[in-house]
Amino acid sequence: MLTVDFSRFPLAPGDRVLDLGCGAGRHAFECYRRGARVVALDRNGEEIREVAKWFAAMKEAGEAPAGATATAMEGDALALPFPDESFDVVIISEVMEHIPDDKGVLAEMVRVLKPGGRIAVTVPRYGPEKVCWALSDAYHEVEGGHIRIYKADELLAKMREAGLKPYGTHHAHALHAPYWWLKCAFGVDNDKVLPVRAYHKLLVWDIMKKPLATRVAEQALNPLIGKSFVAYATKPHLPRAAAA
């Protein structure tokens, strides 16, 4: 289940990609399949070890084209272990809402991104996230949980302040918003209650089968209740005088 729309966020074979806060690796795997040279970084060592296993399995199965590479590593988003201008593409998906120093993370991403490079940022959308917070304290008042809710204009302003030039936005995962509302209403750790179990089965069926009906429904509902807000931006080239 991808949050970044690669039809709006073009990726070329050979691009060097950083998936920052990669989690289980869904975007990193897609970039690898598309021929990129991928670095998947997360502070969670257990998840990184799983991502590394999947990279190895993909290579063994021939899922990535010749020239594509993939590395999984532990690291700190506020102190990235890479030189300036190391990457053509940076993706940070559903991460910034967890980090107190979000401006610091943006500064690090801009530092390691090449001039002319592209960045994709996804965060929980303000409206659906507000509903979750209103229904359940346990949803966000946990260690490592969500510490803020972004308004779209606020996130875009922070991206511009960091030196990025946003060029597009959209919403994603409308069908997942009601699922999280149900979980918050019945208890975020209560997966056995019937409405939650039934809706989860629907989502798994949708992800596996990708039926036209749910694809059309989600596209129609995304502007209204899409669970994620997605923003795309570029790092402008410096004017020659400034670069000199």
Side-chain angles (χ1 to χ4, degrees):
M1 184 188 74
L2 298 174
T3 307
V4 172
D5 180 353
F6 286 93
S7 69
R8 310 183 197 214
F9 189 66
L11 191 69
D15 277 349
R16 190 149 193 251
V17 178
L18 173 63
D19 185 2
L20 181 56
C22 64
R26 57 201 172 102
H27 289 105
F29 300 149
E30 181 65 19
C31 293
Y32 189 32
R33 290 188 188 98
R34 290 171 177 260
R37 295 174 293 152
V38 183
V39 176
L41 184 144
D42 201 285
R43 69 176 186 175
N44 186 316
E46 184 176 341
E47 286 196 310
I48 283 298
R49 286 187 286 275
E50 284 299 311
V51 170
K53 289 178 184 178
W54 279 106
F55 278 152
M58 291 172 68
K59 182 178 181 179
E60 181 70 20
E63 290 189 35
T69 62
T71 302
M73 62 185 294
E74 289 185 59
D76 182 354
L78 290 166
L80 295 174
F82 310 112
D84 295 355
E85 302 179 5
S86 298
F87 294 94
D88 303 290
V89 173
V90 177
I91 296 171
I92 184 166
S93 183
E94 311 300 303
V95 174
M96 287 181 58
E97 67 275 9
H98 297 273
I99 301 177
D101 186 8
D102 58 346
K103 290 185 177 181
V105 173
L106 279 168
E108 272 294 88
M109 290 190 291
V110 171
R111 180 183 69 79
V112 302
L113 186 65
K114 295 177 182 178
R118 304 172 304 286
I119 187 167
V121 180
T122 92
V123 297
R125 184 184 185 177
Y126 183 83
E129 187 76 346
K130 273 293 233 183
V131 173
C132 289
W133 282 45
L135 289 172
S136 171
D137 290 338
Y139 171 80
H140 62 97
E141 291 182 356
V142 295
E143 184 177 355
H146 298 187
I147 63 170
R148 71 174 64 81
I149 307 177
Y150 286 101
K151 292 184 177 179
D153 289 347
E154 174 194 1
L155 178 61
L156 293 171
K158 288 185 176 183
M159 292 172 69
R160 293 188 183 97
E161 184 181 346
L164 295 167
K165 185 177 180 181
Y167 69 83
T169 65
H170 64 90
H171 301 100
H173 308 319
L175 295 182
H176 288 251
Y179 172 70
W180 283 101
W181 296 339
L182 287 171
K183 281 182 68 70
C184 289
F186 287 101
V188 290
D189 296 320
N190 184 2
D191 294 327
K192 295 182 179 180
V193 65
L194 180 59
V196 174
R197 284 194 293 114
Y199 204 100
H200 183 262
K201 286 183 179 179
L202 170 67
L203 292 179
V204 171
W205 172 77
D206 173 58
I207 291 170
M208 298 300 294
K209 300 297 184 180
K210 297 180 174 62
L212 178 61
T214 55
R215 296 300 88 212
V216 171
E218 183 154 80
Q219 288 179 10
L221 290 171
N222 274 337
L224 301 174
I225 60 168
K227 183 75 169 64
S228 295
F229 174 71
V230 188
Y232 305 110
T234 58
K235 178 180 177 178
H237 290 273
L238 287 173
R240 289 185 179 181

